[in-house]
Amino acid sequence: MINAILFYRIERWLYLYHVPFLPKIIELIIFLIYNSKVPYQAEIGKGTFLGYGGMGVVIHTKSKIGSFCTISQQVTIGGGNSRYPGVPTIGNNVYMGKGCIIFGGITIGNNVTIGANAVVNKSVPDNAVVAGVPAKILRIK
């Protein structure tokens, strides 16, 4: 099945090889089909998967997402505000549950699990399980 991540890979390749205009068209197609914002400027590692085709996913243009991550539907990875400036950096093998929000200049470690509808505004160490509003570390794997 065609997924928003496939369209992202195409638009990212076009962007990196300086093909004008087409990455913006593909970004618009992603928005129209999947109601998602997956910009070509974001760095998304290989093997990353968008659940349910990527429906409702919003990713900030300056975000960095590692390899083999799972981004469920309705996830927001965004920039902060004056209280939480910057954009998130997400490690490898991170599972982001449905509807979670990750914002601010934080770092999410490798092998982290983020629960559904969690609001993550603080950095998370490797191998942690976090959930809640605001997200708290429930355990270290």
Side-chain angles (χ1 to χ4, degrees):
M1 182 178 150
I2 296 178
N3 192 320
I5 198 74
L6 175 65
F7 284 115
Y8 163 79
R9 300 280 179 223
I10 295 168
E11 72 179 351
R12 179 75 177 169
W13 186 88
L14 292 168
Y15 171 71
L16 292 176
Y17 287 96
H18 307 290
V19 177
F21 192 63
L22 284 178
K24 292 180 183 178
I25 296 295
I26 296 172
E27 187 175 10
L28 179 62
I29 291 169
I30 292 172
F31 178 74
L32 293 173
I33 295 174
Y34 299 101
N35 196 28
S36 297
K37 171 79 168 151
V38 185
Y40 53 88
Q41 299 97 329
E43 296 177 29
I44 301 175
K46 67 177 182 173
T48 294
F49 176 75
L50 298 176
Y52 290 95
M55 296 179 102
V57 172
V58 177
I59 299 174
H60 192 278
T61 56
K62 295 180 182 175
S63 292
K64 294 179 182 166
I65 301 169
S67 301
F68 303 105
C69 294
T70 300
I71 304 172
S72 299
Q73 67 275 22
Q74 305 298 325
V75 170
T76 300
I77 301 169
N81 52 30
S82 60
R83 188 171 176 194
Y84 302 101
V87 294
T89 300
I90 297 171
N92 300 322
N93 297 319
V94 176
Y95 175 81
M96 292 163 257
K98 179 199 172 299
C100 73
I101 300 170
I102 304 165
F103 67 96
I106 62 173
T107 301
I108 306 295
N110 298 323
N111 306 311
V112 170
T113 301
I114 301 172
N117 297 313
V119 177
V120 184
N121 59 5
K122 293 182 181 152
S123 293
V124 178
D126 291 349
N127 304 312
V129 177
V130 297
V133 180
K136 293 183 172 79
I137 297 173
L138 300 179
R139 67 183 167 103
I140 303 292
K141 298 182 206 174

